[in-house]
């Protein structure tokens, strides 16, 4: 845990939460003087009727020039960002509103900083490579989730390099994040499960991060408590508004925590599974969670005591018992939402593991946050345990 250096807590400039928060969109746009929004979404969200509802609400509020871009693939590619920017320019839009899961929000965040730039998109990758954002940006998540509405990163797939790459810049922190649980009601169970476990991974990894702070730790732990209490219910009863609201808040809290403390080896080892074998972000994280945590517990057993308590253990739980308790809770939760327990259940040959380990060991941006240092041999051993 970091205690000595000065830190800035990063989040969206304004944060709206609670049931029906989505009804505030027109008002928030007005505050930003946004009159010709580009709504960035994807087909699943569109087909669920969310875009039609939001567009009708905007029309009713007097906003009539609404352009919709919903041609987003899950796990957005660079070409999609190019196409989205073209539409933004062609329609003379003056602001960007993301309505969707992490894929739509990451696309929108990239377009928001790319729209006013003349350089090729590839030059924006890495840390602090973007110029000041010229257009207002509002994010409304429809999954619970990625927490992308409060983070300064956009993750895009470079299909040629078979890699996922990040644009990292505070310029992508939205002007407004509207975390409205009603937008997640139509989320299919499989997406509820994978994105819910992604939020759990954000919470756990940010708590164990070397860069966790007094501000991020309470969010991490509160998110774990909420996910433990509500994920299975949201999965089994998609219309349960209480469970959806708890999950939406948990996802936001986990986003605030990892947006400042970072995530670690689970995400680093999940990346190549997404890049090469197209497992979804949530699924690849879910399948790596327990194997990585089995390694991490040896590095910081006392940190697992607080994690265990967040997962429901008695306050008296011992350091010796905490690690196993946490691992078992994670396994039970993943199984309850039907996440496959092993890598072999996906279409990945065992012979690919050394190559995956090589790729994951290159994700130093995340590995440096992890409480335990992992060599390429360690990483391969973890993949073998996960297989
Ligand atoms: N920037 C960040 O901080 C950050 C953090 C974590 C993950 N991510 C990225 O987020 C992406 C994954 O996002 P995700 O897990 O939210 O999934 P997603 O955005 O890829 O959506 C998954 C599927 O669910 C559907 N869907 C989403 N919401 C729905 C709703 N309310 N009703 C009906 N269908 C709905 C979509 O149409 C899509 O088919 C990955 O690309 C990942 O890299 C970004
Ligand atoms: Fe994630």
């Amino acid at each position: 845990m970091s205690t000595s250096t000065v830190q800035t807590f990063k989040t969206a400039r304004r944060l709206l939460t609670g049931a029906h928060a989505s009804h505030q969109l027109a008002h928030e746009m007005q505050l930003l003087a946004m009159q010709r929004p580009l709504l960035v979404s994807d087909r699943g969200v569109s087909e669920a009727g969310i875009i039609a509802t939001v567009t009708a609400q905007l029309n009713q509020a007097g906003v009539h020039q609404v352009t919709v871009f919903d041609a987003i693939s899950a796990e957005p590619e660079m070409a999609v960002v190019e196409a989205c920017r073209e539409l933004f320019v062609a329609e003379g839009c003056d602001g960007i509103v993301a309505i969707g899961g992490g894929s739509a929000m990451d696309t929108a965040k990239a377009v928001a900083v790319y729209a006013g730039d003349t350089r090729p998109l590839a030059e924006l990758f890495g840390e602090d490579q973007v110029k000041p954002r010229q257009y207002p940006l509002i994010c409304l998540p429809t999954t619970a989730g990625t927490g992308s509405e409060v983070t300064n990163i956009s993750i895009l797939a470079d299909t040629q390099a078979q890699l996922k790459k990040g644009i990292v810049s505070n310029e992508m922190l939205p002007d407004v994040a509207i975390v409205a649980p009603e937008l997640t009601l139509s989320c299919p169970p499989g997406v509820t499960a994978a994105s819910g476990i992604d939020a759990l991974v954000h919470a756990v990894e940010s708590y164990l991060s070397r860069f966790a702070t007094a501000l991020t730790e309470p969010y991490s732990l509160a998110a774990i408590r909420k996910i433990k209490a509500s994920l299975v219910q949201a999965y089994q009863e998609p219309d349960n508004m209480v469970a959806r609201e708890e999950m939406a808040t948990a996802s936001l809290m986990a986003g605030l925590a990892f947006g400042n403390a970072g995530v670690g080896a689970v995400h680093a080892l999940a990346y190549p599974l997404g890049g090469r074998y197209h497992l979804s972000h949530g699924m690849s994280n879910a399948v790596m969670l327990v194997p990585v945590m089995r390694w991490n517990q040896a590095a910081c057993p006392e940190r697992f005591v607080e994690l265990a308590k967040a997962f429901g253990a008695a306050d008296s739980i011992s350091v010796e018992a905490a690690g196993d308790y946490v691992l078992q809770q994670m396994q039970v939760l993943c199984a309850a939402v039907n996440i496959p327990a092993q890598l072999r259940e996906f279409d990945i040959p065992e012979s690919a593991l050394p190559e995956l380990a090589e790729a994951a060991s290159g994700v130093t941006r995340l590995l440096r946050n992890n409480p335990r240092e992992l060599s390429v041999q360690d990483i391969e051993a973890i993949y073998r345990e996960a297989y």
Side-chain angles (χ1 to χ4, degrees), residues 198 202 267 281 285:
D198 185 28
H202 296 158
H267 273 76
H281 178 84
N285 273 293

Side-chain angles (χ1 to χ4, degrees), residues 4 19 60 67-68 129 140 145 148 157 161 195 198 200 202 223 230 236 267 271 274 289 295 332 338-339 363 369 385:
S4 57
Q60 215 170 13
T67 305
V68 176
Q129 300 301 314
L140 296 92
S148 179
S195 55
D198 185 28
L200 179 70
H202 296 158
S230 301
Q236 290 175 344
H267 273 76
Y271 265 140
L289 174 61
W295 276 66
V332 168
N338 291 313
I339 301 278
V363 191
N369 302 334
E385 281 170 29

Side-chain angles (χ1 to χ4, degrees), residues 172-306:
M172 283 186 306
L173 291 166
D175 296 291
V176 187
I178 303 180
V179 181
E182 64 273 13
L183 299 182
T184 66
L185 288 170
S186 54
C187 218
V191 176
T192 300
S195 55
I197 298 291
D198 185 28
L200 179 70
V201 177
H202 296 158
V204 171
E205 291 214 283
S206 58
Y207 186 74
L208 296 177
S209 168
R210 291 183 183 182
F211 300 95
T213 70
L215 285 189
T216 63
E217 285 172 358
Y219 282 129
S220 300
L221 296 175
I224 294 170
R225 284 192 291 270
K226 285 185 187 299
I227 294 166
K228 160 90 195 283
S230 301
L231 175 59
V232 175
Q233 201 170 28
Y235 176 74
Q236 290 175 344
E237 305 164 27
D239 293 332
N240 187 315
M241 186 64 171
V242 176
R244 291 296 196 180
E245 184 161 358
E246 285 296 290
M247 283 305 299
T249 306
S251 161
L252 169 64
M253 288 175 152
L256 291 169
F258 97 82
N260 290 281
V263 285
V266 179
H267 273 76
L269 272 68
Y271 265 140
L273 300 175
R276 285 155 203 242
Y277 295 98
H278 308 292
L279 272 67
S280 75
H281 178 84
M283 195 58 91
S284 54
N285 273 293
V287 73
M288 294 316 301
L289 174 61
V290 171
V292 170
M293 287 304 148
R294 198 169 282 132
W295 276 66
N296 277 351
Q297 60 168 321
C300 50
E302 68 298 336
R303 301 286 285 165
F304 276 72
V305 172
E306 288 309 314

